[in-house]
Amino acid sequence: METKFFSKDEIAAAVALLAKGELVAFPTETVYGLGALATNETAVKNVYRAKGRPSDNPLIVTVSDAKMMAQYAQEVPESALKLIKHFWPGPLTLLLFVKPGALPDAVTGGLKTAAFRCPDDALTHDLIAQLGAPIVGPSANTSTKPSPTTATHVYHDLKGKIAGIIDGGETEVGLESTIIDLSVEQPVVLRPGKITPAELSAVLGERVLVNTGQVTDQAVPKAPGMKYRHYAPSAPVIVVDNAADFKQLTLSASVGVIALDAVLAALSMPERNQYGLGRDLVDADHRLFDGLRYFDDRPEIKQIYVQGFNEGEASLAYMNRLNKASANHHYEGATNEQ
Ligand code: TXA
Ligand code: MG
């Protein structure tokens, strides 16, 4: 299959493909999603196939607005209304009970809930509004790889497997949406994102818990995706929590370093073995996944050191993704590592 690129002026062609049950990747403010008509079971199953995604890991349901969501959610509780008013469209996904039979089991993995998301992206809004039905929207990467933040990343992973990619340039946030579970007594963040637990608590007027499910493959976490290996580049990753420690590393030609620009400037190593995260944590969120992909297809790179951040809730999402990419491997000093 030829994978076509569409510009933002060519939405109608993408809508026609989606309506026929084809797969089309689309931009959002967080990462690129892999779209398929959510009400078409065959199309949804093809999403799992294209991504190589385990079938027990349900898909996000992407809607153009809260009205569309209400057609598929069993009920929209007061807490959801508050969050929608404040954060939609935006990088917040709501886990709600789904109307029985409204969506194929392949979307929800047979669960009683569905994850609803309304991206802050005009192009995606128009795409779904013109289609008149939700699209599933998992990140448009091959399973286990970092989520795509450019159309080129999507093409790298899915060329020949999907009908099209709408190119909306680089995504803005760079890390996937915050997921909050509203199907339980007390709201719980299942995946941290740009919108922090404190911001959610402030709007809800109650404390929001965080459970990112550090679990083994045997356990069943609340967000099934949290148990799988994820965000993994070709070479193993080690987190460097203390930026000063970069100076202790032996930076040979087989080592890649991903850190803030100022940290890299203080190291002497070949430019092609460095990836700059920019000036601050916001830049680092935006660039992390591109950085994790930067050293792929470079067989000489055997190890990647990535800067960690310890900025409380602000760095929760970044560290959640980095801990997965590294399987929680943190640098513990020269004697332990070399
Ligand atoms: O920012 C985002 O959310 C991106 C963009 C493309 O919208 N999408 C995204 O989708 O990250 P995905 O499929 O890569 O991650 C969705 C996560 C998975 O961990 C999945 O297990 C969880 O949401 N999830 C989906 N439906 C669920 C459900 N009914 N119950 C619990 N977890 C669910
Ligand atoms: Mg994903």
Side-chain angles (χ1 to χ4, degrees), residues 26 28 30-33 51 53 57-60 93 95 108 111 113-115 117 137-139 175-177 179 190-191 222-226 230:
F26 60 96
T28 79
T30 59
V31 302
Y32 276 74
K51 280 178 61 74
R53 179 172 177 125
N57 189 3
L59 306 177
I60 283 179
T93 297
L95 204 65
T108 58
L111 298 172
T113 53
R117 161 140 159 78
S139 50
L175 302 176
E176 307 90 336
S177 61
I179 301 179
L190 301 179
R191 181 176 69 184
K222 190 67 202 253
M226 304 309 274
H230 218 157

Side-chain angles (χ1 to χ4, degrees), residues 3 22 43 51 59 74-75 118 131 154 169 173 190 202 209 211 217 230 247 271 286 306 335:
T3 302
E22 301 281 354
K51 280 178 61 74
L59 306 177
Q74 186 164 35
E75 53 173 341
C118 179
L131 189 65
V154 178
V173 178
L190 301 179
L209 305 174
N211 176 9
D217 274 0
H230 218 157
K247 294 218 173 88
E271 201 151 310
H286 175 74
V306 186
T335 45

Side-chain angles (χ1 to χ4, degrees), residues 94-150:
L94 308 177
L95 204 65
L96 300 176
F97 287 107
V98 65
K99 234 179 232 171
L103 293 165
D105 271 358
V107 174
T108 58
L111 298 172
K112 290 193 164 60
T113 53
F116 293 98
R117 161 140 159 78
C118 179
D120 185 11
D121 186 289
L123 195 150
T124 298
H125 172 273
D126 294 351
L127 180 80
I128 300 169
Q130 284 178 33
L131 189 65
I135 55 178
V136 293
S139 50
N141 52 288
T142 298
S143 210
T144 80
K145 287 311 219 183
S147 297
T149 55
T150 66

